[in-house]
C-alpha cells in the first residue's frame, strides 16, 4: 500500500491491485458464488468510505456481477452510505442498541444483529 506499492511498481514492475481482489482470488470467491443465494459480510462501520476500497466494496462488486445479493452486518451504519451491490445493511448499533451496550457484550449483540438480518431477509 502507499509508497511501498509505488516503489515496487517503479523499480520492479510490480502490478498494483486492491488487496481485497487478491484475497478473493486466493479464496476462489467466484466458484463459491456459484449457486449461492446470498453473501453475508461484515464491516466495523458502514459509511461513505465503504464504497471507496473497503473490503465490502470488492465483495459486493463481485457478488453483484454474479447476481447474488449482499447483506452487510456492521457495528454501525451511516444512513448516507451507499455501496453498489449491497442489498441489505444491518447495524448492531440501532435505535434499541447503543454503542455502549454493543461494546459491553459484542458477541451477544452481533448474534442478535445476525439473527435479525436472517429473519428480515427470509420475509422478502
Amino acid at each position: 500500500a502507499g509508497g511501498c506499492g509505488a516503489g515496487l511498481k517503479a523499480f520492479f514492475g510490480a502490478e498494483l491491485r486492491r488487496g481485497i481482489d487478491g484475497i478473493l482470488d486466493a479464496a476462489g470467491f467466484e466458484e463459491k458464488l456459484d449457486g449461492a443465494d446470498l453473501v453475508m459480510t461484515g464491516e466495523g462501520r458502514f459509511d461513505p468510505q465503504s464504497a471507496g476500497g473497503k473490503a465490502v466494496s470488492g465483495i459486493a462488486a463481485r457478488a453483484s456481477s454474479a447476481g447474488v445479493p449482499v447483506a452487510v452486518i456492521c457495528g454501525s451504519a451511516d444512513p448516507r452510505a451507499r455501496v453498489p451491490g449491497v442489498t441489505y445493511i444491518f447495524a448492531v448499533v440501532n435505535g434499541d442498541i447503543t454503542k455502549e451496550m454493543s461494546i459491553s457484550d459484542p458477541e451477544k449483540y452481533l448474534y442478535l444483529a445476525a439473527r435479525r438480518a436472517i429473519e428480515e431477509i427470509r420475509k422478502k
Side-chain angles (χ1 to χ4, degrees):
C4 182
L8 290 170
K9 179 177 172 74
F11 295 109
F12 299 104
E15 174 189 344
L16 297 180
R17 58 191 269 198
R18 297 182 326 163
I20 189 61
D21 290 330
I23 291 168
L24 294 176
D25 289 345
F29 189 72
E30 272 73 19
E31 293 82 20
K32 290 176 173 69
L33 285 173
D34 188 34
D37 296 318
L38 178 73
V39 171
M40 291 186 88
T41 188
E43 183 86 47
R45 175 156 172 75
F46 190 80
D47 58 29
Q49 291 181 347
S50 297
K54 288 187 177 181
V56 68
S57 65
I59 292 166
R62 291 200 187 190
S64 67
S65 291
V68 180
V70 175
V72 176
I73 299 178
C74 55
S76 63
D78 182 326
R80 299 169 297 162
R82 300 285 181 269
V83 173
V86 171
T87 309
Y88 308 99
I89 303 165
F90 299 95
V92 172
V93 175
N94 58 40
D96 299 326
I97 310 300
T98 66
K99 180 178 177 182
E100 292 73 24
M101 291 168 68
S102 71
I103 290 170
S104 73
D105 194 349
E107 184 176 347
K108 172 185 174 181
Y109 292 108
L110 182 57
Y111 169 80
L112 291 173
R115 191 168 122 190
R116 186 176 78 244
I118 291 167
E119 289 170 357
E120 289 188 31
I121 292 168
R122 279 187 176 164
K123 290 178 188 177
K124 298 186 187 241

